[in-house]
Amino acid sequence: MKKLICFILMAVMLLPTVIACGEKTPPVSGDTTPAVTDGGTVTEPTVTTEPPEMPDIPEDAYYDDYTFTVLVTGNFNNNDFQSDGLGTDVVSDAIYRKNSAVEAQLGIVIENIDEIAFGSSGGSGTGFTKMKKAYDAASFDYDIAMIGTYDVANLAQSGYIADINEVPGIDTSRSWWDQMANRDLTINGKLLYTTGDISLTDNIITHCIMFNKGILASNSNLLDPYQLVREDKWTYDVFVEEVKKIGEDVNGDDKMDTNDRYGLMTWSDASLAVLNSSLSRICTVNADGQIELTLNTQTALGVLEKYSEIHNTDHCFNYQKFDKTTSSWDPNRIKMFDEDLAYYYMTTFNTVPKHRDKETDFGILPFPKFDANQETYGHLVSAYHCQFLCIPYFSEDIDRTGVVTEVLAWASQSTLTPAYYEKTLVGSIIRDEESAEMLDIIFGSRVFDVGAYYKIGSFTSNIPTLVSDNKIDTFASSVERATRAANIQIKQINTQFSKTDK
């Protein structure tokens, strides 16, 4: 009974965040119920006194000031366990309140080890190295870890991390765990890494499309993209035709560069997001729980062909291809979009805040469907930028690890996710109700492509190159040439996941 009362008090402490955000359960990780009517009007949920869903925690779950160590690595600078509590922004404040509440409830001290560095997670990077070292020494250096995608995939394949489904106290079917990630990342019944409300990184680096409302308003021949989405007409055929309507040598110097106007601004890696938006994947976990190569299909080829139709034209600006100097990419793309030189803009959500304080009016859109027969949208969670929760193979007290992890994930659902979704995206950055409607679509249709995460067949680099070099006509033959080596790699991964113990 004492434990139940404590959790009710904890829920009451966390609940003001939900109330302040309209008491809407954000569909970012887990539940994807839309909060917008078919007519596009945002509806305010009815305020209730019903307590939020809570995890099942043992009565004796109190750990006498145990230091619970979290390792965070990856290529993208986001750490959901680190905050000094100074209230610099709503997300930082939510992290502090979440950490403090869990520490007080479970009698722990959360220690954060931040090893994030751009370019540090390529498969054998910082996260892999540190976790492997702990495994080799059978030490208990870390209780849990948030590891960059390529590193965590290598850890999983190597058998250095635990099956989360087998960790006592963690129920991955609960709403604070991302069911789309669980679906796509479970191999042979094993879930070695996943995400959910415990982290914002997967939300921040999900692909989306921004569009310039000023260009839309000044061109009467352009269609309303919001209406296209509502009428289920937002397909690549339509998208390509809309992009073709915009392309102008603004300064009349007979060359197209950063001073001219385009129907689409993008970068090479967006080709992978285009692929996944058609619900095609490099690899898929099949009904038998095995990874299989699923790239050489008519849909995959078709969507890349449609995209290539505009990519290498004067209607499209690829800032990554235009300038090989990486330090110029951000200034170029931000300037161009803010100066009404790009209509559509393929990007990820981490870019959106960079335009928050500018006068340019913009909206958010999902990636198009391949065609009208496609039932749902698809949105890539970037392999290069993401981090995933994993648990070391060796644990000093696996029951304690499971309890603390579950409570952290649960508490994040009432603090971290609403702070990002409601207070940061909808409340500050997104400027219209229609974009809020689009967020529900985007976050409710995310794709975690294991083929990209395990770098199968080098397709993650080959596909962008084929599109950028205007050689998509060689796509089928390129896949065929790489199939044998890719299948050998897939077989090795499936074999590793089939083992009952390392």
Side-chain angles (χ1 to χ4, degrees), residues 282-323:
I282 296 172
C283 289
T284 304
V285 179
N286 62 28
D288 295 325
Q290 302 289 297
I291 296 178
E292 65 175 334
L293 187 65
T294 54
L295 184 57
N296 202 357
T297 67
Q298 286 302 310
T299 298
L301 174 60
V303 74
L304 293 174
E305 284 179 335
K306 291 178 188 292
Y307 180 56
S308 295
E309 187 178 332
I310 52 172
H311 188 274
N312 293 284
T313 69
D314 288 345
H315 302 283
C316 178
F317 180 77
N318 180 337
Y319 59 82
Q320 190 174 7
K321 183 178 179 181
F322 176 82
D323 190 346

Side-chain angles (χ1 to χ4, degrees), residues 16 21 39 79 120-121 176 182 215 253 277 295 307 448 496 498:
C21 298
N79 189 329
S120 67
S121 178
W176 42 85
N182 293 348
I215 293 178
D253 62 358
S277 68
L295 184 57
Y307 180 56
F448 300 81
Q496 178 61 51
S498 296

